[in-house]
Amino acid sequence: FHGSGQTFAEVPNMPSSTSGGNQLEFSTDIKVIKGELFLASTIIDTQTGNVIGGAVYQSADGFTWAPVKTWTNDSPLTIAEHDGALVAGMVSGNIELEDPNGNLVQDTGIPANTGVMSLLEIATDTLLVGIRGNTGAELYRRVTTTVTTGGGTTPTTPTTPALSYVTDVKPIMQSACASCHGPNGL
C-alpha cells in the first residue's frame, strides 16, 4: 500500500503445514480464482534454506482455509486461473493443473527450467508462463485449444511456443503496466 491512512491487520487462523522445529512457512502468492481465495505457500528448512514442502489452500471467506494439495520437497511459487481451472507453478519447474475431479496434476508440456516464477492468463485459452531458465529469464505461452468431434469437444495437448517480446510481451506491458511504471506513473 502507498499513500496515507493505510493500516494492516494480521488475518487470524492462517493455515500451516509445518511440523515445527526448523521449519518456516511463508506465502508465495494469493489470488482470487473462481470467486474464492487461493493461497500458495512454501516451507523451508531454516538451517539450510532448502525447500522441504509447500501447499495450496482455498478459502471462501478469508478466515477458514482448507488444503487443496500439499507437497514434499517441492512447492508452488505462483498460482493462476487458466481455462477455468487452478494452475500452480512450482519451484521444481513443473506446472500442476486442476483436472476435472479438482485434483492438481503435473502438466508434461512445459520446457525444462529451474522454476516457474509467474503465471498470467491473458485469454481463456492462453497462459503466459515466466520461468527461470538455465540461461536466465524466459517467457512461454501455453495455448489450450478444443477440437470438436462427433461425440463432443476434447481439449488438445497444449503448446508452449516461445514468445516474441515485440509482438507478444510489449503490448501487454504497455496496456497493463505503463500507467504505474511509465514516465507518468507513481
Side-chain angles (χ1 to χ4, degrees), residues 120 169-186:
L120 176 65
V169 179
K170 186 176 179 183
I172 294 168
M173 293 181 75
Q174 286 176 323
S175 67
C177 305
S179 62
C180 294
H181 298 284
N184 298 324
L186 300 174

Side-chain angles (χ1 to χ4, degrees), residues 37-124:
L37 286 171
F38 285 82
L39 173 72
S41 70
T42 294
I43 303 168
I44 62 166
D45 180 312
T46 57
Q47 293 181 332
T48 64
N50 294 333
V51 171
I52 56 176
V56 170
Y57 302 98
Q58 180 178 5
S59 175
D61 60 11
F63 296 101
T64 307
W65 296 87
V68 173
K69 184 172 182 178
T70 58
W71 291 266
T72 301
N73 300 321
D74 200 2
S75 73
L77 289 173
T78 183
I79 52 178
E81 182 174 7
H82 177 51
D83 202 18
L86 173 65
V87 182
M90 309 297 291
V91 167
S92 64
N94 293 321
I95 289 181
E96 296 217 3
L97 302 165
E98 184 178 23
D99 69 11
N101 298 319
N103 300 312
L104 286 170
V105 295
Q106 187 173 337
D107 176 17
T108 58
I110 188 162
N113 68 86
T114 59
V116 177
M117 308 306 289
S118 59
L119 298 168
L120 176 65
E121 183 179 63
I122 59 172
T124 56

Side-chain angles (χ1 to χ4, degrees), residues 81-85 87 97 107 120-129 140-147 154-161 163 172:
E81 182 174 7
H82 177 51
D83 202 18
V87 182
L97 302 165
D107 176 17
L120 176 65
E121 183 179 63
I122 59 172
T124 56
D125 67 343
T126 306
L127 181 72
L128 293 182
V129 181
Y140 288 87
R141 175 178 46 213
R142 181 184 192 279
V143 178
T144 305
T145 57
T146 304
V147 175
T154 305
T156 63
T157 302
T159 59
T160 52
L163 298 178
I172 294 168

